[in-house]
């Protein structure tokens, strides 16, 4: 019974089983069952208030929909996989249970506005869950960064050691990207937060619907402005898929760093055993699979975005059945990003860092050369000359087999520039180089702590 179609009055024949299953969406849209019920409750109550259906019928519908939701939640009502979609299923259950009253619920609406409202409600909840996971990941990064605000490590460009920074600074850089992802989700939510219910198939309704009332009942600040836009638009889904793809791409970069750091060559990070896996053949292996998998899943998020953009491109207004394909891709992006963020948070929190090895990696590669040039600039030398002087010192060290500019005696330094004094040696340690870079946004520990405090704020 629950697999009865809503359009049987027009078409005497149903597609054969396989064809019917092909066009059905219940496997995907059953995830929106509670949103569908909430939408129907708001709609039924409004129909009653507006006198479109008898008040007692509205009451019956509301009570039954509440029972249906409870039965879904406690598992006593199983969603029929043979139904066409979740909207048909719920309407059919209502009609099975209430008879004539159930047949009144669809006045003034279409599955086109129904699916639009369900989808938006679902997105709002999914984004809230992702925001929770984003916060978990952000806090894991910021807590670790705070502990390591003074832990010296090399910063890289071109994957070559560039300048000394701190682990706290590096992790805070990741946190900045996550914070922007959170901002993007919040922005997108504000735009999609309008209620399409009452838009009907595409042209609203001649019945005296109160769209403000259903919007308010469903906690939307307002109804959508234009009924045709309400059922045709999916830019909210594209936007969310894009944000998921961006967030996942950010994660993939953090994870790439982690994979590198976990290698024997770097050995900066020691991932917890619970957050690593072994090899079936090589007994010695401890692999950063979690980081690799998070990195790999960015492909899925990017793919889902391409799926959605391609799906919507060139669709004529208003609703087309193509749009039924939108949910699977976006739901997959939601699941992927939320799971990856939670996994990332756990992996980061449990990791240990070899701070001695990180500091040691700052030695011998002339990472102090920029700071040496800036020392000369502070003493009045034009930067281009200072760059040349520092470069000449680096070459002299390399030729003489010395591992750092500070290994040269003061007389040699002064032979390059009389601006060098005894204070140069202390200025070239990695700690001094980092401490000097107190500029806004820089890696000096106090400055990084300021950045962390801001990132913890709203
Ligand atoms: N299952 C459909 C979807 O997800 C619901 C809307 C169906 N509307 C229609 N005119 N066939 O888009």
């Amino acid at each position: 019974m629950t697999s009865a179609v809503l359009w049987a009055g027009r078409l005497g024949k149903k597609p054969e089983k396989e064809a019917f299953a092909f066009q059905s969406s219940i496997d995907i849209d059953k995830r929106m069952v509670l949103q569908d019920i909430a939408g129907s409750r708001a709609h039924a109550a409004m129909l009653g208030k507006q006198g479109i259906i008898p008040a007692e019928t509205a009451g019956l519908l509301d009570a039954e929909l509440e029972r249906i939701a409870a039965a879904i939640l406690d598992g006593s009502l199983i969603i029929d996989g043979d139904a066409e979609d979740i909207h048909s299923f719920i309407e059919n259950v209502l009609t099975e249970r209430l008879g004539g009253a159930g047949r009144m619920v669809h006045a003034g609406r279409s599955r086109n506005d129904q699916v639009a409202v369900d989808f938006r409600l679902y997105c709002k909840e999914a984004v809230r869950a992702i925001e929770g996971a984003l916060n978990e990941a952000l806090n894991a990064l910021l807590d670790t960064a705070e502990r390591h605000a003074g832990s010296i490590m090399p910063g890289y460009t071109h994957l070559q050691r560039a300048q000394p920074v701190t682990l706290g600074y590096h992790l805070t850089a990741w946190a900045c990207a996550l914070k922007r992802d959170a901002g993007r989700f919040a922005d997108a939510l504000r735009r999609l937060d309008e209620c399409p219910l009452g838009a009907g198939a595409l042209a609203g309704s001649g019945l005296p619907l109160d769209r403000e009332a259903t919007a308010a009942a469903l906690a939307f600040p307002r109804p959508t402005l234009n009924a045709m836009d309400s059922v045709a638009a999916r830019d909210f889904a594209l936007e969310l898929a894009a944000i998921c793809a961006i967030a996942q791409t950010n994660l993939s970069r953090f994870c790439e760093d982690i994979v590198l750091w976990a290698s024997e060559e770097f050995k900066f990070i020691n991932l917890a055993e619970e957050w690593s896996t072994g090899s079936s053949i090589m007994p010695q292996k401890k692999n950063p699979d979690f980081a690799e998998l998070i990195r790999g899943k960015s492909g899925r998020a990017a793919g889902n975005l391409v799926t959605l953009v391609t799906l919507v491109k060139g669709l004529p207004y208003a609703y087309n059945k193509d749009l039924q394909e939108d949910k699977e891709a976006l739901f997959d992006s939601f699941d992927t990003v939320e799971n990856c963020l939670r996994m990332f948070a756990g992996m980061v929190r449990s990791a240990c860092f070899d701070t001695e090895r990180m500091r040691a990696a700052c030695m011998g590669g002339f990472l102090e050369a920029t700071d040496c040039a800036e020392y000369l600039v502070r003493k009045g030398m034009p930067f281009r000359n200072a760059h040349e002087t520092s470069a000449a010192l680096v070459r002299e060290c390399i030729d003489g087999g010395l591992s750092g500019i500070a290994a040269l005696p003061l007389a040699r330094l002064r032979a390059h520039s009389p601006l060098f004094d005894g204070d140069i040696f202390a200025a070239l340690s990695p700690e001094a180089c980092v401490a000097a870079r107190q500029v806004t946004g820089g890696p000096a520990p106090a400055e990084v702590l300021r950045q962390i405090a801001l990132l913890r704020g709203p």
Side-chain angles (χ1 to χ4, degrees):
M1 174 64 184
T2 47
S3 61
V5 294
L6 301 176
W7 30 269
R10 168 67 179 83
L11 304 181
K13 290 183 189 151
K14 224 174 123 170
E16 60 176 271
K17 201 170 182 314
E18 208 181 321
F20 185 79
F22 171 78
Q23 63 83 54
S24 110
S25 55
I26 190 84
D27 282 347
I28 304 298
D29 59 29
K30 67 183 174 195
R31 282 173 68 151
M32 308 191 301
V33 61
L34 295 179
Q35 287 77 12
D36 196 73
I37 292 171
S40 289
R41 289 183 72 178
H43 186 70
M46 180 276 292
L47 292 178
K49 271 217 189 78
Q50 296 297 102
I52 299 166
I53 63 174
E56 57 274 25
T57 305
L60 283 176
L61 287 168
D62 191 65
E64 198 54 47
L65 284 162
E66 190 176 8
R67 271 192 289 277
I68 292 173
I72 297 270
L73 285 174
D74 72 21
S76 57
L77 177 63
I78 305 293
I79 296 174
D80 177 5
D82 290 334
E84 188 179 7
D85 56 28
I86 195 62
H87 328 294
S88 320
F89 172 75
I90 296 296
E91 188 176 330
N92 280 326
V93 174
L94 262 185
T95 305
E96 251 174 58
R97 294 183 177 188
L98 297 178
R103 296 173 64 84
M104 291 191 166
V105 73
H106 207 57
R109 77 174 183 189
S110 152
R111 282 181 297 163
N112 297 353
D113 59 337
Q114 221 182 329
V115 74
V117 74
D118 293 3
F119 198 17
R120 287 190 192 220
L121 285 170
Y122 187 93
C123 286
K124 283 169 70 169
E125 258 180 55
V127 168
R128 268 177 221 121
I130 293 173
E131 285 173 338
L134 262 171
N135 258 331
E136 254 180 58
L138 195 62
N139 287 332
L141 284 179
L142 295 177
D143 292 348
T144 313
E146 205 162 77
R147 277 203 309 282
H148 288 287
S151 304
I152 299 290
M153 73 177 292
Y156 294 80
T157 64
H158 312 271
L159 203 53
Q160 307 287 317
R161 292 172 187 171
Q163 287 187 275
V165 296
T166 66
L167 175 58
Y169 179 65
H170 196 127
L171 299 181
T172 303
W174 295 353
C176 287
L178 284 190
K179 186 81 178 181
R180 283 192 298 277
D181 290 331
R184 273 184 275 271
F185 277 116
D187 287 347
L189 268 199
R190 242 184 297 116
R191 258 185 298 283
L192 78 73
D193 206 5
E194 294 183 339
C195 185
L197 196 57
L202 78 161
S205 169
L207 299 170
L209 306 181
D210 182 351
R211 293 192 58 212
E212 279 72 17
T214 45
L218 293 168
F220 286 101
R222 69 191 79 87
T224 47
L225 188 63
N226 175 285
M228 186 180 284
D229 172 59
S230 314
V231 292
R234 287 296 183 273
D235 51 89
F236 69 88
L238 302 190
E239 189 172 6
L240 289 174
I243 299 169
C244 288
I246 293 170
Q248 196 64 36
T249 303
N250 283 334
L251 281 178
S252 80
R253 296 185 65 182
F254 314 159
C255 286
E256 168 64 8
D257 278 350
I258 289 176
V259 170
L260 285 172
W261 294 353
S263 70
E264 199 60 26
E265 285 69 16
F266 278 79
K267 244 183 159 173
F268 286 176
I269 197 171
N270 189 4
L271 292 169
E273 294 198 353
E274 311 89 280
W275 290 95
S276 306
T277 56
S279 158
S280 61
I281 175 170
M282 296 168 284
Q284 86 285 9
K285 289 302 286 290
K286 179 179 165 222
N287 294 326
D289 282 29
F290 286 84
E292 290 169 48
L293 204 49
I294 295 170
R295 184 180 62 186
K297 282 181 187 287
S298 59
R300 208 182 243 278
N304 289 333
L305 173 60
V306 174
T307 296
L308 284 170
V309 172
T310 314
L311 174 73
V312 176
K313 178 190 176 296
L315 279 187
Y317 269 60
Y319 178 86
N320 303 269
K321 182 83 162 182
D322 312 47
L323 291 176
Q324 179 167 289
E325 288 281 304
D326 56 4
K327 287 167 279 310
E328 188 169 5
L330 190 58
F331 290 173
D332 183 68
S333 284
F334 287 156
D335 295 346
T336 300
V337 173
E338 189 187 338
N339 287 333
C340 287
L341 284 165
R342 292 198 197 285
M343 294 298 107
F344 179 76
M347 181 176 63
V348 167
R349 273 204 187 285
S350 59
C352 290
F353 294 89
D354 189 339
T355 51
E356 267 176 44
R357 217 181 134 82
M358 286 179 156
R359 187 186 185 283
C362 290
M363 310 310 287
F366 303 100
L367 279 71
E368 71 282 25
T370 309
D371 298 273
C372 176
E374 289 188 352
Y375 171 93
L376 293 171
V377 168
R378 271 199 294 275
K379 303 242 166 162
M381 189 183 282
F383 177 75
R384 192 48 55 209
N385 301 23
H387 185 282
E388 282 162 12
T389 304
S390 183
L393 289 169
V394 168
R395 289 169 69 107
E396 186 169 326
C397 288
I398 291 173
D399 293 345
L402 298 177
S403 63
I405 296 173
L408 290 166
L410 185 57
R412 283 307 312 146
L413 295 174
R414 292 180 70 92
H416 286 264
S417 167
L419 294 174
F420 280 117
D421 280 314
D423 59 348
I424 179 63
F425 298 104
L428 295 181
S429 74
E431 284 77 9
C433 294
V434 166
R437 283 187 249 111
Q438 295 167 14
V439 59
T440 301
E447 170 55 21
V448 170
L449 293 176
R450 187 188 72 89
Q451 295 165 23
I452 292 172
L454 279 179
L455 289 166
R456 286 196 196 281

